[in-house]
Amino acid sequence: MAQLPQHHVSTLILGAGAAGMMAAAHSGAGVLVIDHAKAAGEKIRISGGGRCNFTNIYCDSSAFLSENPHFAKSALSRYGPYDFLDLVNRHRISWHEKTLGQLFCDTSAKEIIAMLRAEMTAVGAELWLETSISSVRQSGDKFCALVEKQGQAREIYADHLIVATGGKSIPKMGATGLAYQIAETFGHRVTDTRPALVPFTFDEGQRARFAALAGLSLPVRAKAADAEFDEAMLFTHRGLSGPAILQISSYWREGQEITLHIDPETDFFAVLRGARGESGKRSLHGVLSDYLPKAFVADFGQTQSLAGNIADCSDARLREIVEALQDWRLRPTATEGYRTAEVTLGGVATDGLSSKTMQSTHIPNLYFIGEAVDVTGWLGGYNFQWAWASAVAAGAAIRAKRQA
């Protein structure tokens, strides 16, 4: 059998997303990054509405879900939001802060991709796109990846292997479970995975109700399990979305209820009592419509009678109305799944990785970084910061080995 063409590198990185490109820029010389996509950083390109929410200035380990809630502390403490912001500034990318510490590009997410590509070029890293991976194995003290590029099979031999192929979210962008397959091949445990930061769907009756409100946004305090978030909620034709809903989806489990507190900043009992004293001839519907969208109030009135003058409402009745606004309980049937999920919850178990270097604890020179690992952040730039931090941790460890 004819020998396949071989390519030898110091470090092979699987995946040209945020984590993979960042790792390439920090791993020293002799780096090759491969990806099956036609372009690098496709998830970066579509993120943040095309402007990339590239970090969050309030990022710390408390904003991450993992079997080991302490695992992310080491990498995040050594490469934080301001470290990445310094890189952005050096590349003269203009940015702005939105709510809750979220940082976005002023113009385009493509600037972040160009920055990472420039950082890779500066250290001489190669990038092979449209390159599929058939298998990965150990060959002596090296790793061997069988790949196909331009219709030709090749073997790539590397001293170090970084797996940065992400999770299963947004399969139309090429996401697969490859990282988990590779992890299991090398004896690593993979935790249960599921879609996270994803909209909820409901049964047919509830869905028809929400469809009439599709496009309407409200401030809410959304709760699921032990988590709660104060952000916006969006009605869709399929159910509920918006930042508050995406946040609690990471904590929700099938069959559980969610609780919504509508407009938590407004003291509706005080509002209604005040209106009763000052304009008693007004209806509950009219008063609530001063603070909430009329379409929502009309829908709310289908379950809570809002007819009659507010002057005729007792304190007890007003409290009933307010309680319904503060404790709206719903039971989603499911989520929209990986199709629209921003990230994958779970992944390569952290008990098999070094929190300092992201290296396998039983296979030297094997690293897992980014979304592939069982570290999942909140919405708002946290997952990008984990990608940057875990990539730098692995890259710095490899560079230090080569220099030793």
Side-chain angles (χ1 to χ4, degrees), residues 136-137 180-188:
V136 182
R137 61 183 174 84
Y180 313 138
Q181 298 169 24
I182 294 173
E184 291 174 337
T185 296
F186 288 108
H188 279 265

Side-chain angles (χ1 to χ4, degrees), residues 168-180:
K168 301 177 182 177
S169 56
I170 319 183
K172 71 177 182 180
M173 302 295 293
T176 68
L178 179 62
Y180 313 138

Side-chain angles (χ1 to χ4, degrees), residues 203-214 235-237 239 295-296 298-304 328-330:
D203 60 33
E204 187 173 342
Q206 196 73 276
R207 190 163 62 246
R209 176 187 178 189
F210 291 159
L213 300 173
F235 291 95
T236 75
H237 286 90
F296 173 78
D299 177 85
F300 182 67
Q302 294 178 24
T303 57
Q304 298 287 327
W328 185 14
R329 295 176 181 266
L330 295 167

